[in-house]
Amino acid sequence: TAEPFMFRQGGALVRVETTDGGKPIFRELSTTVMRHEMARSAVWWGMRGPKDAKVKKILVPPEVVCQDVLATPNPPLPEVVRIAECPVFGPDWELRTTSGYHASARTYCAIPDDVHVPALDHSPTAQDVVRARSMVLDELIGDFPFASPADKANALALFLLAFVRDCINGPTPLHVVESPTVGTGKGLLVDALLRPSCGRGVAVMAQCRDGDEWRKRITAALRSGHAAIQIDNVTMALDAGELAMALTIPYWSDRLLGSSQTVSYPVRCAWALTANNPVLSTEMARRSIRIRLDSKTDRPWEREEFRHKELMGWVDEHRGELIWAGLTMIQSWIGASRPGFSGKMLGSFEGWSRILGGIIEHIKVPGFLGNLSEFYDNADTEGGALRAFTEMWWDQHGRDRVGVAELFPIALSSEGMSLGQGNDNSQKAEFGRLLARQRDRVIGDFTVKHAGKVHGSQKWQLVKAAEVML
């Protein structure tokens, strides 16, 4: 049978195209593109001329026929969920090493001709694993100033993700690459970790101003089938409901710009973000893991002693060996019957935690997910502000039933409480909405309970969390 070249993706018909920069992407089939494909798939002809002298003539496919094909519900075409630019393991844990469509993984592999991966041993030796681990942890990222072993282990997880993404039944978290100052190499680290597996198939976007902009950019990136999405240089507090949702759902639904058509794209990419000491909402922090760099110098960009002066040039030159290293570490874990991760799983990302944690633990790299508590304490300023607020609330009012009027002055004096930039009435209204969102939530040692209405005014009460548990 012929190799498939047209697919179903997110309710639309697509084909794989290559951009000017050599990046493979999915391109939705328009009427014009469909006419191009249909004209090359069959000979179209019709009878032309007067009734008594009709002759057979070659035609281009009629536009109405092209439109009708595009409108066909559930066309008999294979479904595709992502593009991979490297060999990948399928859901059956078999390695796909050839370019083209792989039905069991619903993945289109577009492995560049100039990438030569050394032969992979089905049962790697201990020496193979040591060499593979060193290739990544020492040669590739050994010069980056990781703040702790946990940060380095989490970086390895990002490096390995694309090779096993088809094996993970569920979402993957946002990899937050952060540092205390500029020039530490956050963007370079993301490039180095993703280039071997993703090639140039990384969508880079800036932080968005509002939910509508987030929605449009996420839709565009998923529509093109990018292997990874990088949110670069975040400078403002990150509280994006649309991004938080995209991180935890299997399919992203949206209405196409300028159209009434609703599409549903599979979410199978890796997610990364770079920032200096980022501030995340609670919803974003719990969907993220930390990869922190800290050079402990005033001007980290002035460092000169590196293994590879031009790291990305070295990565491109040794890409095949780096791919071999990733596959070898994974194959060793598969040969050991795929032991699961013994540590604490990341909530909502259990499948990712079990597989990536299992691989990293198997090859004896310590620290995976070991910095979550520290990360939440530092990045989740929303949670910290709420804990400080409830402590002050308890100190001033105890178990009393109180309303927005009594609590608003406490909120104003609590550092980190985000009440908007409006006037007093606007901020008070925003505080009322924030308070309502905390209903029955445990914050520190307390649970926020709704205490009914008095003269039309909502009342709230703090209860010791331990008492609620009883």
Side-chain angles (χ1 to χ4, degrees), residues 212-235:
D212 192 51
E213 189 175 350
W214 275 113
R215 178 183 58 79
K216 292 176 183 177
R217 293 191 183 181
I218 291 171
T219 297
L222 295 176
R223 183 182 187 183
S224 296
H226 291 289
I229 297 177
Q230 177 186 347
I231 305 160
D232 193 41
N233 195 28
V234 170
T235 57

Side-chain angles (χ1 to χ4, degrees), residues 173-207:
L174 177 65
H175 300 76
V176 177
V177 182
E178 58 163 274
S179 70
T181 186
V182 299
T184 314
K186 299 178 292 296
L188 181 62
L189 176 61
V190 173
D191 286 345
L193 292 171
L194 293 178
R195 181 73 68 84
S197 61
C198 301
R200 301 185 185 277
V202 179
V204 180
M205 66 172 70
Q207 184 176 16

